[in-house]
Structure formats: structure tokens, C-alpha cells
Amino acid sequence: MGTGMRLWIVALVLLVAAAGGYWWLGGSPLAALTATPSATPAVAGPVPVQVQPVRAAPIRSLVTYSGAIQPSSQVNVSPRAVGQIQSVRVEVGATVRAGDPLAQLDPGTLAAQVQQAQAALSSAQARLDLLLAGAKPVDVSAAQAALDAAQTRLAQLISPSASDISAADAAVAAATATAGNTDAAVVNAKATLLGNIFTLCTSWGGFGIPCGTFTIPLPSDVTDAVASSLTTFIGSIGSTPAANAVAVLQSNSNYIIALNNATSAKQALLAAQAKRDLLKNPTPADIAAQRSLAEAARSTLQTRQTPYTDADIEAARSTVAQTQAQLALARANLDQTTIAAPFDGVVAQKLLDVGATVTAQTPIFVLITKALESHLTVDEARVGQLRPGMDAELTVPAFPGKTFRAKIANIAPQGDARAHTFDVKVLMDDPDGQLRPGMFAQLAIILAQRSDAIQVPTSAIVAQGQTSRVFVVVDGKAVGRAVRLGVSDGTNTEVLEGLAAGDSIVVFGQNTLRDGQAVLVATPAPGAGGPGGGAPRPQGSGTPGAGTPGGGGPGGGGPPRTQPSSTPTP
């Protein structure tokens, strides 16, 4: 036992002896009967106390809860279509981003349906583009020329001029001359062909020509035989027979051309004669027919100029919109065969594998977010002390001694009417990814904190009614000071008003003191108290009275009844 403690005990024994003697000698009924009027009341000596200097230091008010760590979001990922799993692209523990493919169902004919819908859309779009482009200039020009010719012909029939009749006569004369020339060309071409056939037949076995029984122009089977023989025997026959065969083929072709020209010339002559005769002697029926031709040409021109109506364009637009919808539906059906991640997260479970048949109600994966949270059950008496954004500290048994930062995200707007509790969601900061869903955590929510608070041991505060007081030793006497209190961590309490750093306050014996009473300061034994460690609680030191931090009557209220650092049951 140290010297300081022995002195403290001696002083306490003297105090008790003095108080007992006073009671027996001065305060008892017997003393009152025997005392003389001139007797002087006994004066008590100094009260032994322990003191501690007021200090400024950080202080925090905490409330602790416990709860399980869980992911912020967890979903069962199911397909949107019925099918068989064709491939699985991720495994348990894989980190994925929203939209990443997780698995693929067998698409079947869906890809072909997309191509078909794409082709239908291209066709509809081409039709719409054609309508929007309007008439083609070349078609409009041709229709205009046809109308002009029909109108000119109608005017000639209704009132032919002398020049029109002269032109018609000249056209007939020219056609007659052309027909005569073509007839002469036919005669010449025929003679040339017959001569070449005769020469070939006498020079070399006819090259496949039935000499003596042929007809002209030569039919295709005969000319094909001549050409085949010419190709086969070109190396074994002389140049003269070969040249004669070529001459036959050429003259036969010229004779056919001459016959065709003669036929065309006769037709042109007949048309010129009919046009001249119609011009000279038109009938009412001829004029009406020509007028109908002119009207038809006018209608054709109008059609070429505005080939499509507004209704046609709107119908084409509707067709395009319809085919676009069909394509979108086909693509959506195809896309539904790909099972994609709905959000950024981690694959927690893989429930099925390749070959399994699934429906929209069949989960394939369990996906969780990397963000973690914990839900606390807070009683209604304390929920008023909490608010979103409050900082918290989290510890888990898996990492002893390590503290993780956390923050209150929100407080449920409605509580449990039977249990009188509210759900409080806390988000945690885990940059290294050490925390895992399912871990059990202790969370300390910081209700208030001060970085440099004037504070005293909570046990040194004396509640007197609605006032909190602390005794300060000044010149060997106890001076009671009303104080206004602030934050308390259960052991120490912040003093907002009434004390200053360095004041010597009574931390033991304060509950029996009176203002102005002389005190005997006892030196505490080493380790028995002192700054930062709080005052000892020997028998008779008392307990702080009622009050709440920062409240109450004069002086700001007394110390709290309960310790805010107690651990509620979640």
C-alpha cells in the first residue's frame, strides 16, 4: 500500500471518528439533556477528497448494434424464353457488368426469322423510296411525245392541210420506192445464193447440202451441217471448197435479211397508204378513234407525272412500319435466347448447366451486387437519435482489430407496430473486398463527436434538481459550479459551460460536499485514477443523478441516466 493511500485512509478514519463522536456527544438526545447553554458546537474538519484537472480531448457518443452483412441486391436470373441451354459463359465468382451474356439458349429458327423480316423491311422501304422519288423524267418525256403525236394526228384528221396531204403522198411514194428496192435486193440475194450453192455442190460433196433437192433460204439444220463440216474438215480440205462453203452460209444469211427488209417495206407502204387515205377521206369513226387515242395519251402523261397518290405513299409508310415491327419482334425473340446480367455484380450461384430445359420461371444463376449493406433493428426510443448520413464503424470476427467505415443509408418510414422497432439500412465501405455476405458484424454508430472537448468524468457530476454541478477546489475549499453538459461517451462527459481546462475538480467524495466546505485533497495511489482514466468508485462516492445531455434546467441538465454506448439487441 502506498504512502498516499495510507494518508487517505487515515483521513477517512479521522473523519468517521469525528462524525461518530459528534453524534454520541453532541447530536444524541443524551447530549442534549446534559449540555449547558454556554456549550460551543463542534466544528467538522476538512473533508478528504480526490481531485483531477479538467482536460480537453476528443470525445464521441456511440450506439452499437449487431447484424448480418448482405448484398445490396440479389436476384435469381431466369431466361425470358423457353428452350434448352446451349452454353454457359460464366462460373461462380465471376464479376460481370450489366448486359454481359451469362448463358445462351438454342435459338432454333429464330435467326432465319430475323433474316426474313429484314428482307421484308428492305422491300417495303424500297417501295416507299420509289413512291417518294416521284415520276422518272424519261417516262414523262416519252408520254409527252406520245401525246403530242396523237394530238397532231387528230388535228390533221379534223382539218388536213395541203402540206399534210402532200407529205402523205410523198411518204407513200418513198415507201413504194423502198419496197421496189427491197424486191430487187431479194432477187439479187436469191441469185447469189443459188450460184454459191451450185459452186459448192460441184466442188466438194456439198458439205451437207442436199444438192439438187434443196430449198432456199436454206433451213437451219442444213446451215448447221455446213458449219459443222467446215469446222471438222478445215484441215483436210482445200482452201477453195472451204471458201465456197463460207460463201454459201453468208449468202444465205443475206438472202434472209433481204426477204425481211422486203416484208418490212411492204408493211411500211401499206401504213403510208392507209395514213394518206385516212387523211384524205377520214370518217367520223376515224376521228373519234383518234380522239380516244389522244385522251389515252393524256392520261398516260398524267400518270407518269404523278404516278403515286398520297394514299399510295401512306400505304407504303404503313407497310414499312409494319415490317419494322415484325423485324423488332423477331430480333427480340432472338435476343431472349441470350441470358444477360441485369446489373453489375458477382455470380453467387450457378443452378443449371448445358442441356437443361428452362422456362421463364426457371432460375439459372443467382447474381449479387458487390455493394454490401446491413439492416439493423432499432427500437423507437432510440430511432430519433439516428438520421441518414451518420457515420458508423464496423468490425467483424474475420478481421480482428480492423475497422471498416460505414454510413446510415436510410431509416424505414414505417416501423413494426407490435415490436415498436424500425429497420435501419447501413452501407459499408470495403475498397479491398474483404467483407463477405453472411458475415456477422458489430456496428458502432457515431451519434456525436468533438475533436477538442472540455470533459470531466461522468461520476464527478452531481445532480441537484434540474441542475448539474461539479465541485472545484479553490484555496482548499469546495466551490460548486453549475455546468451545461454536452456529449457523453458513458465514462466522460463534455462540459459546454461552467469549467475551463486546468480546473481542479472533485472526482471522489463530491456527493457529500457543501458549497464552501473545506477539503483535504488526498493524493490517489498510482493507477487509481487520474486524467483519462476516470475517477475510482469507492464506497460512498455516489451515482450521477437524472438528466439528459444538453437538456434539463439551469446549467443545461444533468448527466444521462443510460449509457448511449450500450448494445441494443437487433
Side-chain angles (χ1 to χ4, degrees):
M1 184 180 299
T3 303
M5 181 58 72
R6 286 195 296 270
L7 291 176
W8 184 86
I9 292 175
V10 170
L12 181 60
V13 171
L14 293 176
L15 177 60
V16 172
Y22 170 78
W23 187 85
W24 284 106
L25 298 178
S28 66
L30 179 60
L33 294 175
T34 59
T36 61
S38 61
T40 301
V43 179
V47 178
V49 295
Q50 283 190 359
V51 298
Q52 177 179 312
V54 175
R55 61 191 179 92
I59 190 172
R60 299 193 304 176
S61 178
L62 305 175
V63 57
T64 59
Y65 292 90
S66 55
I69 297 176
Q70 64 186 54
S72 294
S73 293
Q74 174 176 321
V75 297
N76 294 333
V77 182
S78 301
R80 294 174 293 171
V82 177
Q84 188 178 57
I85 299 177
Q86 186 180 68
S87 63
V88 175
R89 304 186 181 183
V90 294
E91 295 297 332
V92 174
T95 299
V96 297
R97 299 184 65 83
D100 285 351
L102 306 180
Q104 178 67 50
L105 302 184
D106 183 4
T109 62
L110 295 179
Q113 293 177 14
V114 171
Q115 293 178 350
Q116 184 179 14
Q118 181 66 61
L121 176 59
S122 298
S123 176
Q125 187 64 51
R127 172 65 177 169
L128 176 61
D129 293 341
L130 179 63
L131 297 185
L132 294 177
K136 295 181 180 179
V138 63
D139 294 339
V140 174
S141 298
Q144 184 66 56
L147 175 60
D148 294 342
Q151 288 176 333
T152 299
R153 184 63 176 165
L154 177 62
Q156 289 175 344
L157 292 180
I158 294 174
S159 179
S161 63
S163 59
D164 292 336
I165 296 175
S166 297
D169 290 337
V172 170
T176 301
T178 300
N181 293 334
T182 56
D183 288 341
V186 169
V187 172
N188 293 333
K190 181 178 181 180
T192 302
L193 175 58
L194 290 174
N196 289 333
I197 291 174
F198 177 78
T199 301
L200 182 61
C201 286
T202 57
S203 65
W204 184 274
F207 267 80
I209 296 177
C211 295
T213 61
F214 56 85
T215 60
I216 59 172
L218 297 174
S220 60
D221 57 339
V222 173
T223 56
D224 290 343
V226 173
S228 176
S229 299
L230 181 63
T231 302
T232 303
F233 299 105
I234 192 66
S236 61
I237 63 177
S239 59
T240 298
N244 292 338
V246 171
V248 168
L249 295 176
Q250 183 63 48
S251 58
N252 186 72
S253 177
N254 291 338
Y255 180 47
I256 293 174
I257 293 174
L259 289 175
N260 291 336
N261 290 338
T263 301
S264 298
K266 287 184 175 70
Q267 293 175 348
L269 175 59
L270 293 174
Q273 291 172 342
K275 184 176 180 180
R276 181 194 61 185
D277 295 343
L278 180 63
L279 187 62
K280 290 181 178 181
N281 300 298
T283 65
D286 294 333
I287 294 175
Q290 186 59 42
R291 182 174 281 110
S292 296
L293 292 176
E295 290 300 324
R298 186 185 304 279
S299 177
T300 300
L301 176 61
Q302 292 175 348
T303 302
R304 294 291 185 269
Q305 289 174 336
T306 56
Y308 313 112
T309 64
D310 292 341
D312 294 333
I313 294 177
E314 289 304 318
R317 291 186 192 275
S318 297
T319 302
V320 170
Q322 182 179 7
T323 53
Q324 286 176 337
Q326 291 173 348
L327 177 60
L329 178 61
R331 284 177 173 169
N333 291 335
L334 181 60
D335 291 342
Q336 286 179 354
T337 61
T338 299
I339 295 90
F343 52 77
D344 296 353
V346 179
V347 178
Q349 296 182 57
K350 183 179 72 171
L351 306 176
L352 296 174
D353 215 323
V354 175
T357 299
V358 296
T359 67
Q361 288 74 40
T362 310
I364 302 177
F365 302 96
V366 176
L367 186 67
I368 63 174
T369 56
K370 287 187 175 181
L372 301 176
E373 63 185 39
S374 182
H375 288 259
L376 310 179
T377 303
V378 179
D379 58 276
E380 65 175 328
R382 187 160 294 176
V383 73
Q385 297 177 319
L386 308 182
R387 65 180 183 277
M390 274 188 168
D391 291 327
E393 295 177 348
L394 179 147
T395 58
V396 293
F399 301 100
K402 182 175 179 61
T403 300
F404 298 87
R405 298 177 60 184
K407 189 180 293 291
I408 294 179
N410 59 61
I411 301 172
Q414 182 176 355
D416 188 327
R418 292 176 299 176
H420 303 287
T421 57
F422 289 79
D423 180 78
V424 176
K425 182 170 77 173
V426 178
L427 300 181
M428 49 210 64
D429 185 12
D430 181 25
D432 298 328
Q434 294 177 304
L435 299 178
R436 295 286 186 274
M439 287 184 173
F440 186 78
Q442 291 287 340
L443 291 109
I445 299 175
I446 303 173
L447 299 179
Q449 59 182 345
R450 305 284 188 271
S451 60
D452 191 19
I454 300 296
Q455 55 185 284
V456 298
T458 303
S459 59
I461 302 171
V462 178
Q464 296 180 349
Q466 296 297 319
T467 304
S468 297
R469 301 173 67 85
V470 175
F471 283 96
V472 181
V473 176
V474 179
D475 296 331
K477 293 183 179 181
V479 178
R481 291 185 184 176
V483 292
R484 186 165 65 90
L485 305 179
V487 176
S488 175
D489 62 7
T491 301
N492 298 301
T493 300
E494 178 188 19
V495 176
L496 300 176
E497 292 180 2
L499 293 178
D503 286 347
S504 183
I505 62 170
V506 178
V507 296
F508 179 75
Q510 68 274 15
N511 291 323
T512 61
L513 288 178
R514 297 188 303 275
D515 191 25
Q517 187 172 5
V519 295
L520 174 63
V521 177
T523 303
R537 291 180 177 269
Q539 183 178 359
S541 62
T543 303
T548 57
R561 287 181 179 274
T562 58
Q563 304 298 331
S565 59
S566 59
T567 305
T569 301

